[in-house]
Amino acid sequence: MSVALQDFFTQLHSQRENTQEHITFTYKKLLKDRPSSSTQAAFLTQLTKKDLDEIRRFSGIEGVSKLTKQPLIKRLVQEQSTAIDRFILTMDNERLNWLKKILAGDKIYLDSFTAHKLAFFTYTGLTFAVKDKEDDMLVMPDDVREYFLTYDQTEWQIQADINDAVIRLTQGLLYYYGYMPKSTVFELVSPIVSFNLVRVDAVIKDAKNYYDYMNENDQDLMDSRVVDLDILKEQQQKSIYQKHYSFTDDQLIQAGTEDFMDLTDELIQLVKHLKERYLLDDQTMNRYMDDCLILLNSFIDIDPSFLYLSQHLPVASDDDKKMLLALLQASQDSIHTWALKGNKRKKETVQTSEPAKKIGRNDPCPCGSGKKYKKCCGK
């Protein structure tokens, strides 16, 4: 195995471990006791100076980085309307629905949120995670709620629908292509917001922080599953395809939804084989398939995914090797891959894109376990 590929496997492992550590750390860090006063200032006082700096960055408040904690809290409270304006400007339908429930006084339990979503809500400075008796909840301070209720809400749904389209289209592009230059993404999605590039930048940035589907560097946006962007770019240069596959807007928007998975029959057969042949439990199966899909997407051939599975499974006999190679090849042939710029490996299939299967979290798992998807391969 080459040094580059071994390094890729190491990064792949680290990426998964860091994600789990982030989840544990975020909940432990942000969950606080409910303060005696229900003002924004009281909730902010419970956070660290570093957390407060995250909040002032969300509001775009400049020239206050050297303030100590209490003066900074005072400034954040003064800029409450700025944070609210930013939230409304970039919210999509999911965040709008949560906002409506919060303003209506509904109880919002933390088990509804991923670590990234919880961190996003906290770093707006408008909502906070608290221990409320036996329940962990997301709450909004009374003065923040009162300020929200002074706003004209008639345009909120329209704005959320527009932002939804920007976010889904962007996430769909990255789902199929792996990465794209920011300038290209902005050019493609800016017509949705009448070419307001400032709004596009804000909407994508907040969606990146909220959903954790995207990463970025100075030049590019990328799917958060991309392990090594340089290797991916090298693979794309080696492929026979000069152009990116042309998806319809509807296909990209569908691929940008949270529960979307391009789960082909060939991938389902690979899952069934691994579970039955190697007696894998659901958690282990889910981890191997997540990593395997990243490898199938990142390279133009199946050798890396075969080597990865061979390291973790007792693939000993020639028959086992032949079967696994065949299933991996069929799986890669059946999907639009990053390494091929969203094209499929077999050129003759490029012009006809079969509708991808969207598996709902409460649907039966296609692996045949009899469990709901969210309790099995969708964990």
Side-chain angles (χ1 to χ4, degrees):
M1 182 188 303
S2 69
V3 174
L5 187 55
Q6 184 59 58
D7 183 58
F8 190 97
F9 287 170
T10 301
Q11 291 183 65
L12 182 62
H13 175 76
S14 297
Q15 180 174 282
R16 183 173 60 248
E17 294 300 313
N18 290 341
T19 297
Q20 186 58 45
E21 289 178 7
H22 171 76
I23 292 171
T24 303
F25 177 74
T26 299
Y27 277 91
K28 182 178 180 180
K29 175 185 179 184
L30 298 181
L31 186 61
K32 308 292 184 181
D33 292 326
R34 184 186 285 271
S36 56
S37 171
S38 189
T39 63
Q40 184 186 30
F43 283 96
L44 290 172
T45 299
Q46 294 185 304
L47 299 179
T48 66
K49 174 63 165 56
K50 186 176 180 180
D51 292 330
L52 297 177
D53 284 333
E54 291 286 350
I55 293 171
R56 60 105 176 157
R57 278 190 281 269
F58 173 81
S59 300
I61 303 172
E62 299 180 351
V64 296
S65 60
K66 295 183 180 180
L67 290 180
T68 56
K69 186 172 179 178
Q70 288 306 317
L72 179 55
I73 290 173
K74 183 178 180 180
R75 183 62 184 277
L76 291 174
V77 173
Q78 291 172 345
E79 297 287 348
Q80 190 180 94
S81 62
T82 303
I84 291 176
D85 290 342
R86 172 61 181 256
F87 186 91
I88 294 172
L89 174 70
T90 65
M91 67 183 175
D92 58 356
N93 282 311
E94 180 173 317
R95 279 168 280 172
L96 173 58
N97 289 336
W98 285 123
L99 177 60
K100 287 179 177 178
K101 291 180 180 180
I102 292 170
L103 295 180
D106 295 350
K107 288 187 175 182
I108 310 297
Y109 298 100
L110 289 193
D111 58 8
S112 301
F113 301 100
T114 64
H116 279 85
K117 292 179 181 181
L118 176 60
F120 175 85
F121 271 114
T122 301
Y123 292 145
T124 65
L126 304 173
T127 55
F128 301 88
V130 300
K131 303 173 185 176
D132 188 17
K133 297 180 181 179
E134 295 182 357
D135 296 316
D136 298 337
M137 304 182 67
L138 187 73
V139 299
M140 179 177 285
D142 291 343
D143 52 338
V144 176
R145 176 181 283 104
E146 290 170 4
Y147 210 124
F148 258 113
L149 293 175
T150 67
Y151 277 63
D152 180 1
Q153 301 182 23
T154 56
E155 298 294 319
W156 284 6
Q157 185 61 63
I158 296 173
Q159 290 207 143
D161 287 340
I162 292 172
N163 293 341
D164 222 68
V166 171
I167 295 166
R168 306 307 160 214
L169 187 57
T170 301
Q171 291 182 165
L173 288 166
L174 302 181
Y175 180 91
Y176 279 126
Y177 299 142
Y179 87 97
M180 293 198 81
K182 289 181 183 178
S183 58
T184 302
V185 174
F186 280 31
E187 180 182 349
L188 291 172
V189 305
S190 62
I192 302 173
V193 292
S194 302
F195 302 95
N196 185 338
L197 296 182
V198 173
R199 181 174 176 181
V200 169
D201 182 58
V203 168
I204 291 178
K205 188 177 296 294
D206 284 358
K208 176 179 72 72
N209 293 330
Y210 183 72
Y211 287 105
D212 188 37
Y213 285 173
M214 294 181 273
N215 286 326
E216 65 177 336
N217 57 28
D218 291 340
Q219 302 296 326
D220 302 310
L221 286 168
M222 63 205 81
D223 188 289
S224 61
R225 296 170 296 163
V226 171
V227 174
D228 190 314
L229 183 58
D230 290 336
I231 287 180
L232 177 56
K233 290 181 176 181
E234 290 174 2
Q235 291 292 305
Q236 288 188 351
Q237 291 175 353
K238 292 178 182 178
S239 77
I240 63 173
Y241 296 98
Q242 299 301 314
K243 296 181 179 180
H244 288 75
Y245 184 87
S246 181
F247 294 95
T248 66
D249 286 350
D250 286 344
Q251 286 174 314
L252 294 172
I253 288 172
Q254 183 188 26
T257 57
E258 191 164 18
D259 288 337
F260 181 84
M261 178 177 288
D262 192 355
L263 195 60
T264 64
D265 291 338
E266 290 81 1
L267 284 170
I268 293 172
Q269 288 302 313
L270 175 61
V271 170
K272 287 183 176 180
H273 171 74
L274 295 180
K275 289 191 74 170
E276 294 172 1
R277 177 66 182 86
Y278 301 103
L279 303 177
L280 302 178
D281 60 65
D282 294 337
Q283 184 177 5
T284 303
M285 179 71 254
N286 185 57
R287 183 174 74 251
Y288 288 168
M289 278 305 299
D290 283 347
D291 290 351
C292 193
L293 277 170
I294 290 172
L295 290 161
L296 290 174
N297 263 297
S298 300
F299 295 91
I300 58 176
D301 57 60
I302 62 170
D303 290 348
S305 55
F306 177 77
L307 286 171
Y308 169 83
L309 290 176
S310 297
Q311 285 184 350
H312 294 86
L313 300 172
V315 186
S317 70
D318 288 341
D319 286 343
D320 282 343
K321 293 177 182 178
K322 290 178 182 179
M323 176 61 74
L324 184 55
L325 285 167
L327 289 169
L328 286 170
Q329 190 65 71
S331 294
Q332 190 181 60
D333 290 349
S334 72
I335 61 175
H336 298 273
T337 61
W338 304 334
L340 298 179
K341 300 179 181 179
N343 291 284
K344 289 188 177 182
R345 185 178 180 85
K346 290 187 176 179
K347 192 170 183 178
E348 63 269 20
T349 67
V350 171
Q351 300 303 320
T352 57
S353 178
E354 293 292 329
K357 298 178 177 65
K358 183 180 178 183
I359 308 299
R361 289 179 59 75
N362 290 311
D363 292 344
C365 189
C367 74
S369 67
K371 300 179 181 179
K372 289 183 178 181
Y373 176 66
K374 67 182 181 182
K375 295 292 186 180
C376 190
C377 295
K379 286 184 179 179

